[in-house]
Structures are given as structure tokens and as C-alpha cells.
Amino acid sequence: MGRVTARRRVLRVREGHSSYRPDTLAAEEPMEIRVGGRPLAVTMRTPGDDFDLAVGFLVSEGVLHRAEDVAGIRYCAGATADGGNTYNVVDVALAPGVPAPDLSLERNFYTTSSCGLCGKAGLDAVRTTAAWSVAEDPLRIGTDVLTALPERLRAEQRVFDTTGGLHAAGLFTADGELVCLREDVGRHNAVDKVVGHALRSGLLPLRGSVLMVSGRASFELVQKAVMAGIPLLAAVSAPSSLAADLAADSGLTLVGFLRGASMNVYAGDERVHHAAPEA
């Protein structure tokens, strides 16, 4: 398995004084996702929870919907020229009857840690039909529960404490109980790891749940939430205009700038219990 962190010697300058010292960095390595032995995607990720990442990615692509859709997952032996295993190639075997992804689609599955949407052929290519409707989810949540989530998320970011360089995604219940948290250099990878864990645990669709992310809310993160049946996505930073549009179209509640006692609700505000707005 790859390492989650790496050590480097750095020059540290503080208030005019300099010194050399070791520093801990978040690890970043490529991971190739294969389906039935056929290469499908390459993503830059922090090693760890790789099987969750692979199946979570396939949920967001509409390939997987339940744990029974997966016949097996393995690291590919012989991934290097000398037959060694890099633990950077994961092969997902689909259960009989589960359609394989169409590799002839006009799209580029290469993704980066900064933007999982880069390389998509166009907007229509990512408007994947969801297996479940989040618009029908009866979730209702109080602002007091929402405002407590960022601190709870931050308190569980163990690798961030040593590196300061990882995004986090946390799955919470409507009461604010943490179900699952994953960290990664890519915010979309962190979400895929959460969704993959949920699929492998037989929890999809994630009705009545809240997905909290440490960064901004992009179009792709909204799409991943919708594909997993999550009715509410909250972020500490801003959403994009496309993220807000997709949330409104899908019936997902989108919360941004969730910091301290404040937040902006960009879509689906009927799910959030709040004081009556001022005129």
C-alpha cells in the first residue's frame, strides 16, 4: 500500500530566522481504475481506502447502485514491468448482468486532484441519470445541527493535523452523528471514498443524510451527492453557479459558506429549519 504522508527536508523561514527541518506532506499518487480488466479512469489521490474510491467513482458514473453489483475488487499484480505491484491499479469485477461502462463515449476519464470534472466532454456528459430521486427525500434539519458540522468534521481530520494539505468529506445523520469520514488531496476523491464505503456497506441510497465537505461545492460534488441519493450537501466555502443550478434541478439542498453560526442556502431551503427571514 502507498503511504498517506511523506517526509521532506524544507527551509523554514519565520520572522527573519531560517532553519532546515523535516516537514510532513500529504502523499499524492496516481490510481488507475479498471472494470473487468479494462482501464477506465486515472485519478490523482492520497493512497488509502482505494477500493472505496474505485466503487464510489463507479456510483457517480451510474455503473453501480448496490453492493451486490460488485463481484470483487483487487489490486492488479504485475502492474510494473518487473511484475511488481504498485498498489496503484484497482480492478473492479462487476456481478453478472451489471452493464459495463461504455468506453466508447466521447470523454476523457483522466481526473486531477484539483478538479475531477476536468476532461469531461461537456455538460451533457455529466448529467448522468440518477437511480434515486433526492427531491422526494423528507429530510428536515435544524440550523443548529448544520452549524455544528464543520467543527465535527475538522476534529476527525487526523491526517490534516500532520500535513495541513487534505480535503475531507463526512457523511452525517440528520441528528449530526458522523457515519463516515474520508480525507484526500482531491475533494472529489474524498466524496467518492465516502460513497464507496456506503455502497460496500449496503447503505445506498443515503436517504436522510448530510454530506459535509471541507472545500467548495462544485458541480461534480453535487452530482455525486445526487447519484448516491444524498439530499443535502454542505460546504464551508462557495458553490459554483452550475452546482446551484444542478441542486435546484435535482431537488437537493445546497448549503455554502457554512462557518460559525452563518450559512447560505442556495437551493432546497425548505429542508432547513430557520427563523423567519426579515422583510
Side-chain angles (χ1 to χ4, degrees), residues 13-33:
V13 180
R14 295 291 186 276
E15 298 179 354
H17 300 281
S18 61
S19 61
Y20 287 98
R21 53 164 289 177
D23 192 30
T24 302
L25 305 178
E28 182 177 26
E29 297 180 9
M31 188 183 91
E32 180 180 296
I33 300 172

Side-chain angles (χ1 to χ4, degrees), residues 208-268:
S209 61
V210 176
L211 179 64
M212 177 78 210
V213 296
S214 60
R216 61 185 177 86
S218 65
F219 177 94
E220 188 187 29
L221 296 195
V222 172
Q223 184 210 14
K224 290 179 183 296
V226 170
M227 293 300 290
I230 300 171
L232 193 153
L233 171 64
V236 300
S237 191
S240 68
S241 60
L242 278 179
D245 289 345
L246 180 60
D249 291 346
S250 305
L252 177 136
T253 298
L254 179 61
V255 177
F257 290 110
L258 181 54
R259 304 170 184 174
S262 64
M263 70 187 75
N264 291 345
V265 184
Y266 293 88

